[in-house]
Amino acid sequence: GKALTVAMIEKLDSLYKFSSSNNVEIVFRWIRIGLAARWEKAVPEAVDLVTKVGRMKFVRPVYRDLYAWPEQRQVALDTFAKNKDKMMSVSVEMVTKDLHITS
């Protein structure tokens, strides 16, 4: 569907505190909603998630979402370059493809 507006996201976050949840499933979905809306506050949260949580279930979609946002594409590339040595080889291979990185 259509992305929420930044105003809607900020209102939801003030009411429900999704950004401060300790549940990675909630945080993951919240970050993706924020990135789709081009909410700047979601970017550092996305970087934090992909650097701390190694599951491809979370990492790949967030990297793809960052890459799809032209103004944040370099953040995705830089974050991946900085952290790929800490990732499992299969994850590195898949995210490399997601970020359109060629050898």
Side-chain angles (χ1 to χ4, degrees), residues 57-87:
K57 170 184 177 178
F58 303 121
V59 171
R60 289 188 70 200
V62 171
Y63 269 119
R64 285 193 301 257
D65 292 346
L66 280 168
Y67 189 85
W69 184 351
E71 293 81 5
Q72 300 303 331
R73 183 167 292 160
Q74 196 61 49
V75 171
L77 294 167
D78 293 346
T79 301
F80 178 67
K82 182 179 172 184
N83 293 285
K84 69 181 179 181
D85 292 340
K86 301 173 196 161
M87 297 171 66

Side-chain angles (χ1 to χ4, degrees), residues 3-102:
L4 298 174
T5 66
V6 170
M8 294 165 104
I9 289 175
E10 288 175 346
K11 182 66 172 175
L12 285 168
D13 201 35
S14 71
L15 288 170
Y16 301 110
K17 312 288 188 250
F18 293 127
S19 293
S20 57
S21 175
N22 291 322
N23 183 322
V24 71
E25 296 280 352
I26 291 170
V27 171
F28 166 70
R29 284 168 179 76
W30 185 241
I31 287 168
R32 296 203 67 206
I33 289 168
L35 293 175
R38 304 304 191 239
W39 186 37
E40 295 281 342
K41 186 176 186 270
V43 175
E45 293 177 18
V47 169
D48 187 59
L49 181 74
V50 298
T51 57
K52 291 183 179 174
V53 178
R55 291 190 64 196
M56 280 197 296
K57 170 184 177 178
F58 303 121
V59 171
R60 289 188 70 200
V62 171
Y63 269 119
R64 285 193 301 257
D65 292 346
L66 280 168
Y67 189 85
W69 184 351
E71 293 81 5
Q72 300 303 331
R73 183 167 292 160
Q74 196 61 49
V75 171
L77 294 167
D78 293 346
T79 301
F80 178 67
K82 182 179 172 184
N83 293 285
K84 69 181 179 181
D85 292 340
K86 301 173 196 161
M87 297 171 66
M88 293 178 60
S89 61
V90 173
S91 294
V92 171
E93 183 180 326
M94 299 309 290
V95 173
T96 297
K97 289 178 184 177
D98 293 338
L99 300 181
H100 308 279
I101 297 170
T102 55

